[in-house]
Amino acid sequence: AVLKVSVWQKGAAEPLASLERTVMLFAPDEWEGPQAAPELAAAYVCPGSPAAAGVMGEIGRSLAVFSGYEDHRPAGIRMQAAAVYETIQNRGIFLSPPEPEPGRLGLRVGQAEELLARKQGDALAFSAFYCACLEAAGLHPLLPFAGEEVYAGWWLSREDGWEMPGQTELDALRTAAEEKRLCLLDCTGMAENVGLPFREAVLRPEQLPADGFCFSADIARARAAGILPISGGLPEETGAPAPPEPSAR
């Protein structure tokens, strides 16, 4: 599409100035991709969606584990992350590769409601939905892209986080995992046709790619920078979080 902006003086026959630019317009479920606009990945993490609310409600009826970072024990935070993983896993959703769609400009990001209704989705849809549920639980999730893979993760302390909405250094992601400041997860393990238990889906730092493209979206940082969910808003009890204190490491 062509965007034209003109500045007019009242009563003038011609504009004072004009600017014309060609722009690309994307549908709400289209994203330019991690190598073009990586920080916008946070917009597809929708903790206020009905799908995330359904998962959280189901967990709440069976196990009262969600205290967010009020439980300062890494084991307690991990238990919350495991409860989300296992509840989504029990939905019987199959992992499928992205379907080619001629004419689509960007990368399609499947919404959570579609994931649950169709019972299938790709790695990005699984990871974004998992991060949405973690955010709804009061944790600070990450959506990391490393090499050709996409994962999910969460900080083990409310105060920890990247200094910006994302981190481009693969070594920084690996170091934070080695220092046990964050946990990383392969969300495809919860798919019906993969079926990994939570403990096996948790990634060890050495399982990350040795090199290549990396961008790790810090969802709490992105919210503080004004990148909000494209649908559903934020849960009323949390609102937009204050930015975490920059890590000294």
Side-chain angles (χ1 to χ4, degrees):
V2 176
L3 176 67
K4 185 175 182 178
V5 178
S6 299
V7 178
W8 293 78
Q9 184 177 13
K10 187 175 181 180
E14 299 291 335
L16 297 176
S18 294
L19 179 66
E20 191 172 289
R21 290 288 186 271
T22 300
V23 297
M24 297 177 66
L25 300 178
F26 293 88
D29 64 348
E30 286 182 324
W31 176 38
E32 199 170 355
Q35 296 185 343
E39 66 280 359
L40 294 184
Y44 299 95
V45 174
C46 302
S49 69
V55 167
M56 301 307 296
E58 182 178 333
I59 297 172
R61 288 192 297 272
S62 60
L63 185 64
V65 298
F66 290 109
S67 55
Y69 290 107
E70 297 305 314
D71 188 336
H72 299 286
R73 301 170 302 129
I77 295 170
R78 183 185 175 106
M79 181 174 65
Q80 297 176 60
V84 171
Y85 179 96
E86 290 161 2
T87 302
I88 298 175
Q89 187 174 49
N90 290 338
R91 298 297 179 97
I93 308 169
F94 285 79
L95 177 68
S96 62
E99 299 176 3
E101 298 183 54
R104 184 175 286 275
L105 294 176
L107 180 67
R108 186 172 187 278
V109 184
Q111 297 300 292
E113 286 73 21
E114 180 184 3
L115 183 72
L116 296 181
R118 297 183 61 193
K119 295 291 185 181
Q120 66 177 33
D122 59 18
L124 179 54
F126 271 98
S127 298
F129 184 38
Y130 182 73
C131 285
C133 293
L134 291 186
E135 188 177 15
L139 300 179
H140 290 180
L142 298 117
L143 188 58
F145 300 82
E148 298 297 321
E149 306 298 331
V150 56
Y151 305 110
W154 60 93
W155 293 102
L156 290 172
S157 168
R158 189 197 307 273
E159 288 72 33
D160 214 340
W162 306 132
E163 294 184 5
M164 302 293 289
Q167 170 62 253
T168 60
E169 297 295 329
L170 186 56
D171 284 345
L173 182 65
R174 183 180 292 107
T175 298
E178 289 172 345
E179 294 175 348
K180 302 188 185 306
R181 294 164 50 207
L182 59 80
C183 289
L184 296 170
L185 188 78
D186 181 358
C187 290
T188 63
M190 67 180 73
E192 181 74 13
N193 51 338
V194 179
L196 291 180
F198 175 80
R199 66 180 181 279
E200 294 181 22
V202 174
L203 292 172
R204 300 185 301 276
E206 61 269 21
Q207 290 178 282
L208 289 170
D211 52 28
F213 173 81
C214 173
F215 186 86
S216 176
D218 185 324
I219 307 304
R221 267 298 186 191
R223 302 293 186 236
I227 302 175
L228 301 178
I230 62 168
S231 66
L234 293 170
E236 291 183 4
E237 64 272 17
T238 59
E245 292 295 324
S247 171
R249 305 185 212 187

